[in-house]
Amino acid sequence: MENTAPTLDEHVGHGYTANKEALLKRLSRIEGQVRGVNKMVSEDKYCIDILTQISAINAALHKVSLGLVEEHISHCVVNAAEQSIQTGDKSYVDEKVTEVTTAIGRLLR
């Protein structure tokens, strides 16, 4: 019988998988907010009201982003640290730390 166990460097699952339904629900809500802003512009609503809604969308996206960063650290980075310990190869954790710091940098722009 063939061994189908993943190798140490093989990616298994995503940190957000356990919360996938909640994440999709939140993203659908944000999508609805964006459609609402589109409608507000189409209907020539007051610019400050539109900006208020855009601010709410940005806050919701930041919350989703922060949750994904947290999940990445607690799942992917921790798994990489375990791989590094098991193999003695620090590059696993270095790669994941670089990934997450690069992603955070993009979020801060």
Side-chain angles (χ1 to χ4, degrees):
M1 179 173 259
E2 187 176 316
N3 183 0
T4 58
T7 61
L8 286 177
D9 61 345
E10 190 174 326
H11 183 77
V12 179
H14 300 288
Y16 63 82
T17 301
N19 301 318
K20 186 175 180 178
E21 291 304 315
L23 177 61
L24 289 171
K25 187 175 181 179
R26 182 171 286 159
L27 289 169
S28 290
R29 211 172 306 125
I30 293 168
E31 183 180 9
Q33 287 177 290
V34 172
R35 282 193 304 272
V37 168
N38 189 335
K39 184 178 177 187
M40 290 175 76
V41 171
S42 294
E43 295 174 353
D44 295 319
K45 298 294 181 183
Y46 187 54
C47 55
I48 297 301
D49 293 339
I50 295 169
L51 289 170
T52 300
Q53 291 305 309
I54 290 172
S55 177
I57 292 166
N58 282 332
L61 284 171
H62 287 299
K63 189 171 183 178
V64 167
S65 298
L66 186 58
L68 286 170
V69 167
E70 182 178 353
E71 293 291 344
H72 181 73
I73 291 170
S74 66
H75 180 264
C76 300
V77 176
V78 168
N79 286 344
E82 290 169 354
Q83 288 178 330
S84 290
I85 291 167
Q86 289 174 8
T87 63
D89 183 355
K90 189 176 177 294
S91 68
Y92 289 109
V93 75
D94 289 343
E95 178 184 330
K96 293 299 175 187
V97 168
T98 299
E99 271 182 358
V100 76
T101 53
T102 300
I104 291 169
R106 283 192 305 262
L107 290 170
L108 295 175
R109 285 188 223 155

